[in-house]
Every structure is written in structure tokens, then in C-alpha cells.
Amino acid sequence: MRDVLTELLEWWRAGETVGVGTVVATFQSAPRPPGASMLVGPDGTAVGSVSGGCVEGAVYDLAESVVGSGVPVLQRYGVSDDDAFAVGLTCGGILDVWVEKVSRETFPELEEIAADIEAGRPVALATVIEHPDPARLGRRLVIRPDQPAAASLGSARADDAVHDDALGLLAAGHNATLTYGPDGERRGEGMRVFVWAFAPKPRMLVFGAIDFAAAVARVGSFLGYHVTVCDARPVFATRSRFPDADEVVVDWPHRYLAAEAEAGRVDGRTVVTVLTHDPKFDVPLLEVALRLPEIAYVGAMGSRRTHDDRLARLREAGVGEEEIARLSSPIGLDLGARTPEETAISIAAEIIAGRWGGTGEPLATTEGRIHRDLA
């Protein structure tokens, strides 16, 4: 929903009714992850995507029908369906798509949720997508850390169970469909609840205000990271040199990272790229980064010679082998990159491969499923 929120909110504020289809579960090689949404506006405009083009036509028609009837629908598309080829899901995947009618009357909480997302405040939205009681379908619960839940899924027991599980998804930044008994029983079946976890953007910390950093910041922003460029040299760490970064910080890198970690602003989704290849900056910084209990990626730029010297200095500083094993150095995948932009793509490719368990091999040389299960 995040990708289509601007358009959805405009129609909502205008008092219009919108059909919304959202991927709530995927199986095999589904092209879009849970949470991907498509809108069918009051003027017939389609915004967003649930499948990268495979089943958009079928979802469009279903959304128009749901707007007319007011009855939400959970629909499965995929190779198991007799009409799979007709709707075009030829990639071999399976999608569960939740289609609902959204307006001020059906979704009064939307504007407050949008305000939280815009401000970077974590918020989760849980929606009942399957239940033996049709009256419970579409019921919502809004979950915010350290606040009572808003609205209700239909019973206090269900609200409590989903609230606790949604907080865990929010902390991890993952959307997911959860299964319970009809009244929220944890080991039961019959009720499925989809949770959108609108966590703040993951962070990319780029250390070293060099030309490669500008390209990495540009790619990081494109991938959806909140990008910070940090360097101790004020003449280089300027906003004009890094227009794509969300923040440009003048500070000693190791001191800044330690302070951010102490303040709780570094988590298991944070990626760190060390581009200084200067031991007085990168060794103290890597001592901090490699000892953080939760971090997604730590990569350091440099030649093979620089890499060997860096490892020796880290060992002299008391960094253990298990901690050193977390370091990606020399940084990036072997793409033959030469320019800053090509190098940034190589770094981003390594980060993506690590996030989703990719091999970095050409797909043409591999076998089996293309898309791995989402964690």
C-alpha cells in the first residue's frame, strides 16, 4: 500500500470510493511481495501493481465488482487455477489477493495511518481477510508501539493475539498473513489476518564523502533506504555533493555509528558501506560496526592489498574471526564495475543478494525457483 498511498489518500479525502487489491500471500515464483497493492479509482484509473502485469486485468475487474457490491473478496490466482493462463500468471507463481472497497466510511483510520507513515512513525494495520463469520471480513486493527490498539477485529481475544504478533512483524519490517482460530486462538484455524507493517525506512549508512559515495547514496535512495552520508571532513561532506542523501553528517565515522547504535537507530535492517579506504577512519569504524549485535550488512571498499592490511589491523585491535567473517570486503559483487555508478550497482547487488539469499550467479546458469520464499 505504501507505493500507492498518495493517490489513495487523494481520492479518500475527496470522498471518493476506490477498489483496492492487495497481495496478502505468495507461493513459488510470485513476482510481487505481500503488501503490493493496485488501486482502481472512481474514474477507472489503475494505479500500482499486484503482479507486474500478469493478473492486473482480472484484479481490475474484480475490484470494480467489489466496489459495486461492497463485499470484499479473497481471490487466489495461479497455476492451480483452471483459468490461470486466461488471467496471465504464466510465471508459475500463486498469489492470494485481497480486494476491498475503500472510502471514508469503510476506512476512517486511513489519514492517521498515512500521517504516521509520512512522519516515519512505525504503525501496523491488521485486516481480517478470511473468517467463518462474513461480518468479520474486512475488520481492522491499528497497532502502534507503546500505544493501545485502535479499532477492533471483532473480539478482545483476537485483538490481543494479533496485536502482539503485529508488533513483532513491525519490528522486523515484514508484511505477513497470520492464521488463528475464529476467536484468535493461536493454534486454531479459520481466521486469517493480513498485517501491513509500515516500519520506518531501513537505513543505509555511507561512510566516506567520495565520488563513489554519491553514486551509492543515489542507488540506496532508489532502493528505498533512508541514506546518511558521514565523513569527518567538512569540506567534502556537503549537501551539494550528496543531493540524493537524506542526511549529510560531519563527524568521525566510528563516533557517529556508536552514537546511532546507542540511541537505538541501528537495527537488523541497517546496511553500512565503508568507502574511505583510509585506516585512520575505517579501522575504528569497522571495530564498532562488526561488533554490533544486529546489522544487515557491513561492506568496505579497497583493493586486495588494502583488504589484507585492514584485516591485519582489525585483528591487532582485537576483533575476533567470527566478527571479521561478517565483513564484505572488497565490497560488492564481481560485475567488472569501473565507474562510481557501476560500483554502486555492484554494492547494491551484494546487499540485495544477502537480504534475500541470492547467489549472485546469472539466472541462466541456475535451476529451480527464481524467487525465494520471503522471510
Side-chain angles (χ1 to χ4, degrees):
M1 182 188 290
R2 190 192 295 266
D3 292 343
V4 298
L5 187 57
T6 298
E7 292 85 356
L8 178 59
L9 197 58
E10 287 179 359
W11 278 318
W12 184 92
R13 285 172 173 161
E16 302 285 1
T17 298
V18 182
V20 181
T22 299
V23 178
V24 295
T26 64
F27 310 92
Q28 299 177 24
S29 296
R32 295 281 280 156
S37 295
M38 185 180 84
L39 312 180
V40 177
D43 58 355
T45 301
V47 178
S49 171
V50 293
S51 69
C54 296
V55 302
E56 262 64 19
V59 173
Y60 184 98
D61 292 341
L62 181 57
E64 288 192 317
S65 174
V66 165
V67 168
S69 68
V71 179
V73 174
L74 178 63
Q75 181 66 48
R76 175 163 292 185
Y77 299 99
V79 294
S80 60
D81 295 338
D82 292 336
D83 60 347
F85 187 78
V87 299
L89 196 62
T90 55
C91 61
I94 299 173
L95 302 176
D96 282 351
V97 180
W98 169 252
V99 183
E100 60 185 326
K101 167 184 172 180
V102 170
S103 66
R104 284 179 174 271
E105 292 72 28
T106 66
F107 197 170
E109 307 89 355
L110 179 62
E111 188 154 40
E112 291 183 357
I113 292 171
D116 286 334
I117 295 170
E118 178 66 24
R121 296 186 293 265
V123 59
L125 173 65
T127 304
V128 178
I129 60 172
E130 187 175 291
H131 200 281
D133 179 0
R136 298 276 287 274
L137 292 175
R139 296 290 295 268
R140 309 180 205 279
L141 189 71
V142 182
I143 302 102
R144 299 178 176 90
D146 304 319
Q147 292 186 36
S152 175
L153 302 177
S155 78
R157 181 175 183 176
D159 291 349
D160 289 343
V162 174
H163 178 271
D164 292 344
D165 293 340
L167 287 177
L169 291 172
L170 193 55
H174 290 319
N175 304 323
T177 292
L178 308 176
T179 301
Y180 306 89
D183 199 38
E185 300 91 338
R186 290 191 175 278
R187 296 192 178 184
E189 294 184 352
M191 179 172 73
R192 295 173 69 198
V193 178
F194 181 68
V195 179
W196 279 278
F198 298 108
K201 290 182 178 180
R203 298 192 68 187
M204 174 179 281
L205 306 179
V206 182
F207 293 100
I210 64 175
D211 52 353
F212 287 91
V216 171
R218 190 176 311 122
V219 171
S221 178
F222 175 75
L223 292 176
Y225 286 94
H226 180 95
V227 179
T228 301
V229 175
C230 175
D231 196 296
R233 302 164 297 178
V235 67
F236 296 115
T238 63
R239 168 59 63 184
S240 62
R241 296 188 69 229
F242 301 99
D244 295 294
D246 296 283
E247 300 173 295
V248 179
V249 174
V250 178
D251 200 350
W252 279 84
H254 71 284
R255 184 169 61 190
Y256 175 75
L257 180 59
E260 291 298 286
E262 181 67 24
R265 291 190 287 269
V266 174
D267 60 25
R269 301 180 300 147
T270 302
V271 301
V272 169
T273 64
V274 181
L275 310 182
T276 47
H277 49 269
D278 183 334
K280 71 174 178 289
F281 291 120
D282 60 16
V283 172
L285 170 60
L286 289 171
E287 285 186 66
V288 175
L290 295 174
R291 288 170 170 157
L292 291 173
E294 290 188 348
I295 198 164
Y297 172 88
V298 181
M301 178 178 282
S303 66
R304 300 286 182 188
R305 185 174 180 178
T306 299
H307 168 72
D308 291 340
D309 176 70
R310 181 187 293 132
L311 292 186
R313 291 172 182 269
L314 287 171
R315 291 185 177 107
E316 288 175 6
V319 179
E321 294 303 317
E322 187 174 340
E323 294 164 331
I324 287 176
R326 302 172 66 192
L327 175 62
S328 295
S329 174
I331 197 169
L333 296 186
D334 180 11
L335 304 183
R338 294 291 187 272
T339 67
E341 290 74 19
E342 291 172 346
T343 301
I345 294 297
S346 128
I347 294 169
E350 185 173 46
I351 291 170
I352 293 168
R355 179 181 182 186
W356 301 116
T359 65
E361 296 291 329
L363 287 172
T365 66
T366 64
E367 296 181 355
R369 292 164 53 187
I370 293 175
H371 301 98
R372 289 162 174 78
D373 291 330
L374 300 178

